[in-house]
Amino acid sequence: MSSESRLYTFSQETKDHLRKFRLGTSRANDPQAVIYMIDKHTLEIKQDEEKTVYKNLEEIGDDLPDHSPRFVLLSYPMTLPSGRLSVPYVLLYYLPVTCNAELRMLYAGAKELMRNTAEVGRVIEIDSADDLEDLPEKLGAA
């Protein structure tokens, strides 16, 4: 067992939601995303209270905090230059430049655990909500 999995926790409800979200988004026609955070006191990785499922990148950008990191699971259906439909499932590691060192370390320590637990194919680091505009290009959309 890695040290991260002993330090950070996922509730069974969160694990079930991660699995359901991953399986449910693989056939989606629209982008879908959920934002996860780390509770500083319990070190539990969980969704916020509203458990919002976002349908576009602008909504995600509006809800990302200015000074605190977040993990964003994103399923983004797109057409590749070859004309083929692709639905990449990625983890956006949102780390704003204005967040304090304690939060940086907290999220950095959990990044690989979140990646493995969510079973994403790729991690993309962003440091501002504006970086979301470049996301389709980073994912290889036509």
Side-chain angles (χ1 to χ4, degrees):
M1 187 183 283
S2 68
S3 60
E4 294 88 17
S5 59
R6 286 191 300 267
L7 182 61
Y8 302 98
T9 61
F10 289 93
S11 68
Q12 190 58 48
E13 177 188 357
T14 299
K15 286 180 183 177
D16 293 345
H17 180 267
L18 285 168
R19 179 173 165 68
K20 184 177 163 194
F21 183 75
R22 180 175 55 84
L23 296 174
T25 59
S26 63
R27 294 173 300 283
N29 295 325
D30 299 311
Q32 294 185 40
V34 286
I35 297 177
Y36 282 84
M37 56 188 276
I38 299 175
D39 183 310
K40 277 175 44 174
H41 304 293
T42 63
L43 299 183
E44 180 185 348
I45 301 172
K46 59 184 182 178
Q47 271 187 282
D48 61 2
E49 304 305 316
E50 291 92 43
K51 298 190 181 337
T52 307
V53 176
Y54 299 89
K55 300 291 184 193
N56 65 53
L57 297 176
E58 292 80 29
E59 290 176 12
I60 299 167
D62 291 344
D63 276 9
L64 287 174
D66 292 334
H67 306 294
S68 181
R70 291 291 185 267
F71 296 121
V72 182
L73 290 176
L74 173 69
S75 171
Y76 195 82
M78 62 185 187
T79 304
L80 298 173
S82 66
R84 200 171 58 96
L85 182 67
S86 175
V87 186
Y89 181 57
V90 297
L91 173 66
L92 302 178
Y93 176 41
Y94 172 67
L95 189 65
V97 291
T98 55
C99 77
N100 68 39
E102 179 188 5
L103 285 174
R104 282 179 181 277
M105 294 301 290
L106 188 67
Y107 278 77
K111 181 172 75 168
E112 284 303 313
L113 179 64
M114 182 69 185
R115 173 190 196 148
N116 294 334
T117 305
E119 298 180 50
V120 296
R122 183 172 164 198
V123 176
I124 298 175
E125 296 189 15
I126 58 173
D127 59 18
S128 77
D130 295 339
D131 290 349
L132 291 171
E133 293 171 16
D134 303 330
L135 206 53
E137 188 180 303
K138 283 183 181 172
L139 293 171

